[in-house]
Amino acid sequence: MSIRSFLRDDDLTPAEQAEVLDLAARLKAEPYDHQPLAGPRTVAMIFDKPTLRTQASFAAGIAELGGHPMLVDGTLAGIGKRESVADVARVLGRQAAQIVWRTYAQTDLDEMASYAGVPVVNALTDEFHPCQLLADLLTIREHKAPEGKSLAGLTAAFLGDGACNMGNSWLLAGATAGMHVRISGPEGYVPDTAMFARANEIGAATGGSGSAVADPVAAVTGADVVITDTWVSMGKEDEAAERRAVFGPWSVTSDLVAAAEDDAIVLHCLPAYRGMEIAAEVLDGPRSVVWDEAENRRHAQKAVMTWLESKRT
């Protein structure tokens, strides 16, 4: 049997990404008309990192698809400690139709997919956050490219700590969509060169691109979408003081957003810290679409799970 998983953003070709986004829009409009998990079939959800939107959106989405969300406590399971990743994968693959895992190491997720025998979905690792990006792209389509129009040619500026899973995923998913992605952060806080190279390899076929822009004002100038994330990602709490000292110019304030296009929208994957990476008047203001973005996690993830089911052969 052939099984597809969704482990990183470039697991989807440009055509496949567009197909999944089209499906997400249909599932949002018709939330109960598609039941690929009817039975109900079980989807195992494992959370090794703190979660709100991921757990809520997957649990709600699985139920809407006719399935049963089975919460597996990653701490109790002791994956990789009490039992190997491979052994856990073999067990869960016989209990669940799909496995959703929010964890630390991308290599562990890859190993889970190698042994599970069912589709595995990346609900966040230290390297990538691909479900968030599908939600972001769906949100951008709704506000900047309605009626299913292409995202190609739009410019997105990611500000702050670009050396994180969101920076990597924005490069790959944005280039796959044909967008121009600018990453701007202090020295040492941008993705590595291999990630830019991969984005531009993809962009050679889609018309998209990925670049590092040191000056935050230059990065935002003319942008259609402005994105930020917390400066202190999970696991980096001991660096909080150091990060706050250097990230100030990359805070998404009203003055900074003024350099973007007049109809630019602002994204933040949340949780947000008002007055730090983003000003309260921006997060809660008319340019912000973060609540649409948070809701769209459910619709995008439903589309991914539905699409993966359709690829079983």
Side-chain angles (χ1 to χ4, degrees):
M1 177 181 288
S2 176
I3 298 291
R4 291 284 297 271
S5 287
F6 187 48
L7 309 178
R8 47 184 281 166
D9 305 82
D10 55 351
D11 281 345
L12 298 178
T13 68
E16 289 171 343
Q17 184 195 74
E19 182 183 351
V20 170
L21 291 174
D22 286 342
L23 179 57
R26 291 200 302 275
L27 293 175
K28 185 172 183 176
E30 305 163 351
Y32 308 109
D33 290 353
H34 305 266
Q35 300 280 304
L37 297 174
R41 300 168 69 200
T42 295
V43 175
M45 305 187 307
I46 314 167
F47 301 107
D48 298 333
K49 285 191 167 189
T51 178
L52 169 63
R53 280 152 297 280
T54 299
Q55 182 173 342
S57 57
F58 266 110
I62 291 162
E64 288 182 1
L65 293 176
H68 168 67
M70 178 176 67
L71 181 60
V72 177
D73 188 319
T75 303
L76 291 178
I79 302 172
K81 298 176 182 178
R82 180 170 173 268
E83 293 189 70
S84 70
V85 173
D87 284 357
V88 171
R90 292 182 179 104
V91 170
L92 290 181
R94 293 183 177 223
Q95 303 290 348
Q98 295 189 25
I99 299 169
V100 172
W101 196 10
R102 181 180 176 93
T103 193
Y104 295 88
Q106 183 73 24
T107 52
D108 286 345
L109 188 81
D110 295 340
E111 185 176 3
M112 180 76 77
S114 295
Y115 289 94
V118 297
V120 174
V121 178
N122 182 350
L124 177 144
T125 65
D126 288 349
E127 290 187 47
F128 302 104
H129 200 354
C131 287
Q132 179 66 59
L133 260 291
L134 288 177
D136 288 1
L137 295 179
L138 177 62
T139 306
I140 296 167
R141 279 197 5 168
E142 291 174 343
H143 289 271
K144 305 292 292 181
E147 300 176 2
K149 293 181 181 177
S150 172
L151 298 173
L154 293 176
T155 296
F158 184 97
L159 301 178
D161 182 10
C164 68
N165 49 18
M166 284 295 291
N168 291 340
S169 280
W170 254 106
L171 282 174
L172 298 188
T176 299
M179 298 176 68
H180 302 294
V181 179
R182 303 169 183 166
I183 307 289
S184 183
E187 184 177 356
Y189 292 99
V190 295
D192 63 36
T193 56
M195 207 57 62
F196 285 104
R198 177 59 181 145
N200 286 305
E201 178 185 10
I202 296 168
T206 65
S209 65
S211 61
V213 180
D215 178 18
V217 177
V220 168
T221 298
D224 302 290
V225 185
V226 178
I227 312 109
T228 191
D229 192 6
T230 178
W231 293 341
V232 186
S233 299
M234 288 176 283
K236 304 290 185 180
E237 290 81 5
D238 58 339
E239 302 174 17
E242 174 188 346
R243 286 167 174 262
R244 289 168 186 164
V246 300
F247 276 107
W250 285 267
S251 181
V252 178
T253 62
S254 295
D255 288 344
L256 187 58
V257 174
E261 289 292 298
D262 291 341
D263 61 349
I265 58 175
V266 175
L267 300 177
H268 191 311
C269 66
L270 304 177
Y273 300 92
R274 292 167 174 82
M276 291 182 59
E277 76 273 5
I278 189 166
E281 66 267 21
V282 176
L283 185 72
D284 302 317
R287 290 178 182 260
S288 172
V289 295
V290 298
W291 312 117
D292 293 343
E293 179 187 9
E295 177 192 339
N296 282 338
R297 287 289 300 277
R298 181 168 93 255
H299 310 303
Q301 289 158 186
K302 286 174 66 178
V304 168
M305 291 184 287
T306 299
W307 189 83
L308 290 173
E309 285 301 306
S310 75
K311 296 301 174 182
R312 290 178 184 257
T313 58

